[in-house]
Amino acid sequence: MSEITKKVRVRFAPSPTGGLHLGGVRTVLFNYLFARKHGGDFILRIEDTDQSRYVEGAEQYILDCLAWCGLNPDEGPQNGGPFAPYRQSERKANYRIYAEQLVKDGFAYYAFDTPEELDTQRQITPNFRYGHENRAFLRNSLNLSAEETKALLDQNTPHVIRIKVPVDETVHFVDMIRGDVSFDTNLVDDKVLLKADGMPTYHLAVVVDDYLMKISHAFRGEEWLPSAPVHILLWEYLGWKADMPEWVHLPLILKPDGNGKLSKRDGDRLGFPVYAMNWTDPKSGETTRGFREMGYLPEAFVNMLALLGWNDGTEQEIFSMDELIEKFSIERVSKAGAKFDFEKAKWFNHEYIKKAEIADIKGQVLNILHDKGIQVADNEYFEKVLEAVKERMTFLQDFWEQASFFFETPEEYDLNAVKPKWTDEKTEFFKSLIQCYKAVSATDAWESVNLEHIFKSLAEEKNIKAGELMLPFRVMLVGGKFGPAVFDISVLIGQAETIKRIEKAVIAFTE
């Protein structure tokens, strides 16, 4: 079925077990772009059926991540919708009905094997799997009599329900990225559909909920491909194959060297985040750094993710959300994994900070100053400083490194940059410059062009190349070899502060 012949409804269905990996956010993004392009709905469904892995706070964290990225769902646990509830743990009663129906129709069976019995099988048989090779010899309703099975059920004997995968068949489906995909059923084991606690496994729940929520296209990572034959069979066995969503198995996000899937450990090892936002494990107290807290703008993060495995066929790299929605297509999503390039990710953020409106980033930058104990009394001054240095910032956190000298007089200087070439003539030049700058009145105006003219005229008078004096002047004002145009710095910090810094630095340079 073509992507435009039915109402588009897509879903992101995370498990609330921890931080949200950038691969998960990219899945959200591709869902979101596809839905918006085709006038469809984007649904958030929380897959919390594995209560043993449930982590307190993880669901809210997922919602916060999506909100930060601007990828808010049309339906979900927070805002509801016509197919509520959107947490699978609240839909528990639905799943047993369908699991029992599969048993009744001969497509599934009760398995009463205890964990200890299965452990014994694993010790006897290397790479043991529960399937067509051995199910006739294990403790299940396929080889127990109907009376024995009923007695065990009446006694509330712990059991699971497993799918009965057929023998010697081939399961086919069409993936919108990979084309025709097929699986030999002899290589597929009889997955558990309903656990002993009555909760469904992912395999049953995803099919039932995608059907009931009328999902039209199922986007997920390619690591789920091995599970696809079980899901295809369930759609068929439940009589819903005509309503089965179209499949989109997205390429992996790979380590920078391309060798395997990017993981949190890779980020820890190589010094970059892999989570959208900081995640603090409530049990260990360990905090894993996120892109937001490192100083990424959400627009840059989204733009970067969009180009991990997709391009529009041109050389364009910077896209607004509206442009992404307009240009996104499944046909341009690559089959191959996308290598994560942290340097490129930094480039995206730098580009977005450069073009950011001051009003959009000032709040976060003010927080950085507050963390340094700096209280901003003059908002206009702060905004001018931010405008002066934002093109030099890769992350928002770079503001302090690039601009601290606007708020504090340097206590230390990069003397190695100055002292080897310092001379008595330069000492005399800067002492004279102090007098010249003191003489600047309100009439002359403390402006960049005027200050530069005074500086260069004095250098010519003293017969010293102005270029030899610029670096020492910068170090006097800033403390090092960085910062915006030096005369612009003088204008911002003001006449008195400029003179004070020159006076202080001349003493340090001549000691």
Side-chain angles (χ1 to χ4, degrees):
M1 183 178 288
S2 168
E3 65 185 59
I4 58 172
T5 60
K6 56 182 174 180
K7 169 71 172 178
V8 168
R9 286 179 57 80
V10 297
R11 50 49 175 186
F12 177 56
S15 297
T17 57
L20 187 55
H21 187 278
L22 57 88
V25 184
R26 189 193 61 175
T27 300
V28 175
L29 175 61
F30 285 6
N31 270 298
Y32 183 89
L33 296 177
F34 188 80
R36 291 292 174 266
K37 179 165 186 173
H38 297 289
D41 299 320
F42 166 51
I43 294 96
L44 175 66
R45 186 174 71 221
I46 300 297
E47 301 203 340
D48 58 348
T49 57
D50 190 345
Q51 293 293 295
S52 66
R53 298 179 63 230
Y54 176 81
V55 175
E56 190 69 36
E59 179 184 318
Q60 186 59 50
Y61 168 87
I62 291 167
L63 292 167
D64 292 343
C65 287
L66 300 196
W68 176 64
C69 293
L71 303 173
N72 295 301
D74 300 300
E75 302 169 24
Q78 194 174 41
N79 53 336
F83 298 93
Y86 291 90
R87 295 183 189 91
Q88 287 185 332
S89 61
E90 297 172 8
R91 302 170 65 86
K92 181 177 177 180
N94 285 338
Y95 306 115
R96 177 167 286 279
I97 294 170
Y98 296 107
E100 296 283 1
Q101 184 63 46
L102 288 165
V103 175
K104 180 181 176 183
D105 294 341
F107 299 124
Y109 57 92
Y110 302 108
F112 300 95
D113 315 88
T114 65
E116 294 75 19
E117 289 169 341
L118 293 176
D119 283 341
T120 300
Q121 290 296 327
R122 294 186 186 100
Q123 293 170 16
I124 296 171
T125 307
N127 302 315
F128 168 80
R129 60 181 188 173
Y130 208 122
H132 72 277
E133 307 101 324
N134 52 31
R135 60 192 176 205
F137 309 105
L138 296 170
R139 196 161 169 254
N140 56 60
S141 58
L142 295 178
N143 54 57
L144 295 171
S145 68
E147 292 75 16
E148 289 174 306
T149 299
K150 183 177 184 303
L152 289 170
L153 293 174
D154 289 345
Q155 295 164 18
N156 293 320
T157 305
H159 64 278
V160 300
I161 293 179
R162 292 180 178 270
I163 186 173
K164 183 182 178 184
V165 176
V167 181
D168 298 333
E169 290 187 13
T170 302
V171 174
H172 291 274
F173 72 94
V174 176
D175 185 275
M176 293 181 69
I177 295 175
R178 298 158 199 284
D180 187 68
V181 180
S182 61
F183 291 89
D184 179 353
T185 57
N186 291 335
L187 302 178
V188 181
D189 54 324
D190 291 356
K191 299 291 187 186
V192 173
L193 302 179
L194 199 73
K195 295 178 284 188
D197 63 1
M199 279 291 192
T201 61
Y202 171 79
H203 305 293
L204 178 63
V206 72
V207 171
V208 169
D209 286 339
D210 281 355
Y211 171 73
L212 295 177
M213 294 184 179
K214 301 185 184 301
I215 300 303
S216 64
H217 297 78
F219 288 71
R220 59 186 182 183
E222 69 174 51
E223 63 267 34
W224 288 106
L225 268 172
S227 299
V230 171
H231 302 163
I232 305 297
L233 288 170
L234 287 174
W235 279 97
E236 180 180 338
Y237 292 165
L238 289 165
W240 302 335
K241 197 158 187 181
D243 298 304
M244 185 172 70
E246 296 191 52
W247 300 94
V248 186
H249 286 88
L250 301 172
L252 296 176
I253 297 178
L254 304 175
K255 301 176 185 182
D257 62 6
N259 185 24
K261 181 181 178 182
L262 181 70
S263 70
K264 173 183 170 295
R265 288 186 297 276
D266 298 314
D268 294 341
R269 176 172 56 88
L270 297 171
F272 56 75
V274 297
Y275 287 173
M277 290 166 32
N278 275 9
W279 167 252
T280 301
D281 188 303
K283 294 181 180 177
S284 68
E286 177 189 2
T287 296
T288 302
R289 184 171 53 167
F291 280 89
R292 184 184 71 171
E293 288 74 14
M294 194 172 187
Y296 276 79
L297 299 184
E299 300 86 354
F301 181 59
V302 166
N303 194 156
M304 177 269 293
L305 284 181
L307 270 66
L308 282 175
W310 171 85
N311 68 78
D312 73 337
T314 72
E315 297 299 313
Q316 182 176 347
E317 294 186 287
I318 301 296
F319 295 86
S320 68
M321 181 62 80
D322 287 343
E323 288 175 316
L324 287 173
I325 291 169
E326 177 190 349
K327 298 188 176 188
F328 182 76
S329 69
I330 300 298
E331 291 76 17
R332 297 296 311 177
V333 177
S334 172
K335 295 179 186 178
K339 288 192 287 187
F340 179 69
D341 182 345
F342 186 50
E343 292 305 312
K344 190 67 175 182
K346 288 160 62 176
W347 176 85
F348 275 109
N349 206 54
H350 179 57
E351 291 299 307
Y352 271 86
I353 289 177
K354 282 197 300 184
K355 68 176 188 173
E357 296 292 335
I358 295 299
D360 293 336
I361 60 175
K362 63 179 289 186
Q364 291 165 274
V365 177
L366 279 171
N367 289 336
I368 294 167
L369 283 180
H370 292 162
D371 290 343
K372 296 293 183 180
I374 303 294
Q375 299 301 316
V376 175
D378 187 338
N379 186 63
E380 183 180 355
Y381 175 72
F382 163 71
E383 290 187 358
K384 287 179 178 178
V385 171
L386 181 52
E387 187 65 57
V389 303
K390 71 186 180 78
E391 290 197 4
R392 300 172 178 274
M393 295 160 54
T394 299
F395 310 118
L396 293 180
Q397 268 66 14
D398 293 340
F399 178 77
W400 181 248
E401 181 182 342
Q402 293 293 334
S404 61
F405 58 87
F406 283 110
F407 303 94
E408 295 179 341
T409 302
E411 295 297 324
E412 297 180 352
Y413 303 99
D414 183 356
L415 295 177
N416 291 332
V418 177
K419 275 210 162 189
K421 294 184 179 181
W422 190 256
T423 63
D424 291 341
E425 288 76 15
K426 291 179 180 178
T427 299
E428 291 306 313
F429 169 84
F430 282 103
K431 286 182 177 180
S432 297
L433 184 66
I434 290 168
Q435 299 308 313
C436 292
Y437 278 178
K438 281 183 177 180
V440 176
S441 66
T443 306
D444 299 321
W446 186 260
E447 294 179 350
S448 180
V449 173
N450 190 36
L451 298 181
E452 183 175 5
H453 174 71
I454 293 170
F455 188 96
K456 290 184 175 179
S457 296
L458 181 61
E460 185 176 352
E461 178 187 320
K462 298 287 187 181
N463 198 28
I464 305 175
K465 292 180 180 179
E468 295 181 9
L469 299 164
M470 293 297 288
L471 178 59
F473 187 37
R474 177 176 295 281
V475 175
M476 288 174 175
L477 300 183
V478 174
K481 300 183 291 184
F482 61 94
V486 69
F487 298 106
D488 292 344
I489 296 172
S490 293
V491 171
L492 280 169
I493 64 176
Q495 184 175 20
E497 182 66 19
T498 297
I499 292 168
K500 171 186 165 185
R501 293 188 186 189
I502 298 172
E503 290 173 337
K504 179 181 177 184
V506 166
I507 295 171
F509 291 0
T510 54
E511 286 179 345

